[in-house]
Amino acid sequence: MSKFWSKRTHELDPYVPGEQPKNTQYIKLNTNENPYPPSAQVLQSIHDASSGDLRLYSDPNADELKQAIADYYAKYAVEKNNVFVGNSSDEVLAHTFVALLKHDQPLLFPDISYSFYPVYCRLFGINYQMIPLSDHFDIQPEDYSRTNGGIIFPNPNAPTGKALSLQTIETFLTQHPDSVIVIDEAYVDFGADTAIALVRQYKNLLVTQTFSKSRSLAGLRVGFAIADAELIAGMERVKNSFHPYALSREAIAGATASIKDAKSFENNRQKIINTRERITPLLEQLGFSVIPSSANFVFAKPPAGHTAEQLYQQLKQQNILVRYFNAPRIEQYLRITMGTDDEMDTLLETLRLILAD
Ligand SMILES: *Cc1c(COP(=O)(O)O)cnc(C)c1O
């Protein structure tokens, strides 16, 4: 607290990221990073971008990257003016809140969801309502039948890993033709259908994605959004009122190379999906109840006699980090990111020993 802080600063409730320990002794299964490194091609592009040209500003429109993303989604008739890029999808989301979701009526999002949404609402002074997930942790369109200034949720949802069908997303779009519906697809590549397929048809849909998870580039900080050109133009107005050169030369080069390197992307995400499908029944054999996941993590409840918080601590003592949320309705769950198969085997063995104790 300081008398020099603005009123808004006093009122903030900042996002608390998962731990990023400085030492590397941990098996890190707590922040949904990709366990596999970016491809040699991507690293080479980043390296090449770090030349004498760094004295020059980067392209404020990041045209090369926007075009690569449009080409990648050409089958959905995405064009360059349907693409917005930003310095991480958190930043893309921030611009979305200001440009499209701040209205007199409340913004709606699930009570159990990405915990950054209420943080942005406070920062930008946006009125919001949290809509409880069903008892089975489902997002149900009928629960959102009320006046609103917009709706946002991740698909698959985090931290549950549960995905909605495109049909259900269409229900939202048709029931709220005068609201922008934002689908945060941070985890879509691990097993859900992308709503980008619906962007041509629905002028009120905006889809965000990130290079951080499925593309192994959390440290590069690149995200994007796809929507009707009018929504994108609104996003550009906000971005160019805040940070015109949002993406560095390295970020533009690395992200563009990643989009063009379809082979290692496909390979990687399939490996992670396979690991998830292998690990889920093994956790169940240990007595966990695991919510079927479409993401690169599972949300799992420890067997009777063990609390999630205790288990989180015990794993940490054994140098394994998972995510524990001390929050209503989910304090009995652990969110476990998919690591390499070796890392997951170590996790299972460690859990076996802890639970046998
Ligand atoms: C990780 C995550 C993001 C943010 O991704 P960055 O591009 O790294 O900022 C956004 N939404 C959800 C649901 C996430 O889990």
Side-chain angles (χ1 to χ4, degrees), residues 109-113 130-144 146 153 157 160 162-164 168 172 291 299 328-330 333:
F109 49 83
D111 62 336
I112 299 166
S113 190
M130 296 205 279
I131 309 293
L133 295 182
S134 76
D135 291 343
H136 296 288
F137 288 163
D138 289 312
I139 297 171
Q140 304 182 134
E142 59 269 30
D143 298 335
Y144 289 73
R146 57 181 84 189
F153 54 81
N157 195 14
T160 64
K162 280 194 135 181
L164 292 182
T168 306
F172 277 97
I291 297 176
F299 206 44
R329 299 182 76 193
I330 55 171
Y333 286 81

Side-chain angles (χ1 to χ4, degrees), residues 291-309:
I291 297 176
S293 170
S294 302
N296 66 338
F297 55 83
V298 293
F299 206 44
K301 192 174 172 174
H306 299 268
T307 69
E309 185 169 20

Side-chain angles (χ1 to χ4, degrees), residues 15 31-32 87-93 113-117 153-158 184-187 208-213 217-218 221-224 297 335:
Y15 179 75
T31 49
N32 297 342
N87 184 340
S88 81
S89 76
D90 283 339
E91 188 188 83
V92 172
L93 288 168
S113 190
Y114 189 35
S115 49
F116 222 129
Y117 303 153
F153 54 81
N155 191 44
N157 195 14
D184 176 351
E185 294 189 345
Y187 303 103
T208 63
Q209 291 192 6
T210 175
F211 285 73
S212 296
K213 279 84 181 222
L217 291 170
R221 313 305 299 130
V222 186
F224 63 95
F297 55 83
R335 192 194 67 190

Side-chain angles (χ1 to χ4, degrees), residues 33-39 213 215-217 267-269 271-272 275 338-342:
E33 288 143 327
N34 198 304
Y36 304 110
S39 71
K213 279 84 181 222
R215 293 184 176 276
S216 303
L217 291 170
N267 212 0
N268 248 337
R269 73 164 169 173
K271 270 199 290 194
I272 291 165
T275 301
M338 291 305 109
T340 63
D341 280 304
D342 280 353

